[in-house]
Amino acid sequence: MKRHIQRVKPDERSGAVMTVLMPRPCGRDDQIAFFEEWFGPYPFADYGIAMTDSDPGLAMENQGLSMFSRTDFGSGVLYETTEMLLSHELAHQWFGDAVTPARWIDIWLNESFATYGEWMWLDHVGIATLGSRAESALADRPPGSSARPPVSDLFGYNSYYGGAVVLQRAFAPLDVLRAIMWLKFKLA
């Protein structure tokens, strides 16, 4: 399923080269609503998307704003890769921006939950099942993967996919995750 992008004029005051995306019919609003069902209320007042002149595949979330490479969205159509990027960075609003680990060694909590959220979204829109993503990630596990990777591999396989596989196994059925997140927000 393709989703088209409506472009908005960049901010001329700052001279910044940015494009805000408004994917329809299944875009940010639907993604936020989807994740709120699983993770609890969106933790910030606003959410925006900015395009930058960076290398393809690079994306970064900040509180209330995710940045992506303009190259990844150049066609104006959302494909699997762009759906992955959008959903992963949005999931970080709950895991990484609203809740941040105290130690770098625990970065897997941010990245694994965001990767798991990405897989959930891809399942939701019919691109790939949650189970197939987990099985593929498990099959691609590099030899010597460790739950405590060296600093040089903090943002490697285990931080993204290894932890997401564990989450998929631990939270099947997914209603367990929903209950945990709603309880967290009710107690906060």
Side-chain angles (χ1 to χ4, degrees), residues 105-137:
I105 194 69
D106 296 323
I107 196 68
W108 74 272
L109 291 165
N110 290 21
E111 298 304 340
S112 293
F113 270 100
T115 299
Y116 189 65
E118 165 194 321
W119 293 353
M120 291 169 62
W121 177 254
L122 295 177
D123 187 282
H124 175 71
V125 296
I127 292 174
T129 68
L130 188 55
S132 70
R133 284 291 187 179
E135 291 302 320
S136 177

Side-chain angles (χ1 to χ4, degrees), residues 3-7 19-21 49-58 68-79 81-83 85-86:
R3 283 175 273 296
H4 295 277
I5 298 170
Q6 174 186 6
R7 299 190 186 281
T19 304
V20 178
L21 300 182
I49 295 173
M51 294 287 118
T52 64
D53 291 323
S54 61
D55 293 330
L58 292 180
F68 302 92
S69 170
R70 176 195 320 263
T71 307
D72 290 321
F73 295 85
S75 72
V77 176
L78 298 180
Y79 294 105
T81 301
T82 48
E83 290 281 8
L85 290 168
L86 287 166

